[in-house]
Amino acid sequence: MSWVLWLFPIFRDRSFRWLWFSNFLVSLVMSMEKLAQGWLVLETTDSAFWVGAVAGLMGLGQVGFGAIGGVIADRFDRRQSLSITLFLRGCTAFSMGALVFLGQASLIPILTIAFVQGAIQGVSMPTNNSLIYDLAGRERLVNATVARMMALSLSAIPGALFAGLLISQTSVAWCYFVVAIFAYLSIIPLLAVRSGRTVLGSQIQSFARNLREGIAYVLRHPRLGPLLVLSVLMETFGFSFHIILPVMARDVLGVDATGLGVLSASWNVGAFASILGLAVLRDFKYLGVLMIGAASGAGFVIILFAFSPWFAVSVGLSMLIGGVLFAYDVTMGSLLQLLSSDAMRGRVLGLYSLTFGFTPLGGFIAGAIAAAMNPPFALGISGMVIIVWTARLFGPMRRIRRE
C-alpha cells in the first residue's frame, strides 16, 4: 500500500478516495456501454456508416450540453449535480436493455437514447472534473488527474472483457442491464465526498451571462483557445478510433464480440501503463512537450493499426494507442485547469467537455469513409490528420509548462 501512496499521495484524502471509487464504477459503465452500443448497432444495421452515425448523434448531444454543463458546475452543488446525472445514466442504460430484451431496439430508439446519453455526459464531465479540483487544489491536481485516469483504465480492462463475454454468451440486453446497475451503484460513494466548496446559489449572474462570460474568457486567453482547438482535433481523429473498433474487429480482423473485448481491454492495459509512468513523472514541468509528443505518437500508431491484418499485432498496437492517448489526455486536462482562474474553471471545463462530443462525431466521419472506402483507409486518414496538425502546433505548445 505504501507504493500506492508514494505514486498517488492524493489518496491520503478520504473524500478523494470516495470520489475515485465512484469514478471507477462510472468508467466501468462507460467501457461496457461503448462496446455494447457499437456491437448492437452493427448487429441491427450491418453498416459501418450507422455505427459512426449513432456515435455522432451522441457527440451532438455532448457538444450541445457541454458548455451548459460547465455553467452548472460553477453554479450548483457539484456532488448533487453529479449524482443526478449518474442516476439518469442508469435509466438510459436500463431503457436500452429493456428495448433489446423486448425486441424493440430499432434504429430510431437507438439514435434517441444515444443523443440523451451524450447530453448527460456533456453535463457530468465538467462537474466531475471541477469536483476533482475542489479536492486536490493546484498543487495536487496533476496527481489527482492521473489517479482519475487510472480509475478509468483499471475498470475498463475487466469492463471490456466482461461486456464481450456477456454479449457472446447471453445478449446485448443483459450487458445494458449490468451497466445500469453499476451506474446506480456509482452514486453511493459520492455521499461520503466533502469538498468544502461554497455553493454560489442566487448570488451569481444569470445562466446565459455565465455561459457568455466563459466563452469570452477562453477567446481572450492566449493559451486556452489553442488548447481547446487541439482537443477538438484529437477527439475527432484520435479517440474516435475506439468507435470504429467493432467494424475493424468483425470485418477486418475476423473476430467476434469476445475478440472485440480483448482489443478494447488491450487499449486500457496500455492506458494503465501510461498512467503509472505519468504518476512517476508527477513533477514533470514540460507538460506542453509531453502533450504534443503523445498526440503525434497516437497518429503514427493509429496508421499502423489501420493496416495490420493480424489480430495479435493489432492487440499490441491497440495497447500502444491507449498509452499515448491517455498520456495526451492527462496533460491536456491538467493544463486547462492550471491555466484557468478559480471563477472560470467550471466553464472552461464545460467547453473542454464540449470537445469530447467530437469523438463520436469523428466516429461518424470514420464510419462514412469506411462505408464508402474501407475501415483501414478511414483510420489511416485519421492518423495522417493528427500527424500533420500536431506538427504545426509543436512550436507554440512546447512553450507551455507547469510552473
Side-chain angles (χ1 to χ4, degrees), residues 241 301 304-306 308 312-322:
F241 157 84
V301 186
L304 293 176
F305 180 91
S308 166
V313 173
S314 296
V315 168
L317 292 172
S318 178
M319 193 180 302
L320 287 175
I321 293 170

Side-chain angles (χ1 to χ4, degrees), residues 116-195:
V116 174
Q117 288 172 331
I120 294 170
Q121 184 76 354
V123 173
S124 66
M125 291 192 69
T127 302
N128 185 73
N129 290 337
S130 296
L131 190 54
I132 289 174
Y133 187 92
D134 292 341
L135 298 176
R138 293 181 62 87
E139 296 77 11
R140 301 184 297 176
L141 177 61
V142 175
N143 193 247
T145 304
V146 173
R148 188 254 175 183
M149 290 298 182
M150 182 180 70
L152 197 157
S153 62
L154 272 179
S155 60
I157 296 168
L161 293 172
F162 186 37
L165 286 173
L166 270 177
I167 295 169
S168 297
Q169 302 301 318
T170 57
S171 73
V172 178
W174 288 106
C175 185
Y176 274 110
F177 290 146
V178 172
V179 165
I181 292 171
F182 282 128
Y184 295 137
L185 289 175
S186 66
I187 300 172
I188 297 174
L190 291 178
L191 301 177
V193 174
R194 298 289 182 270
S195 70

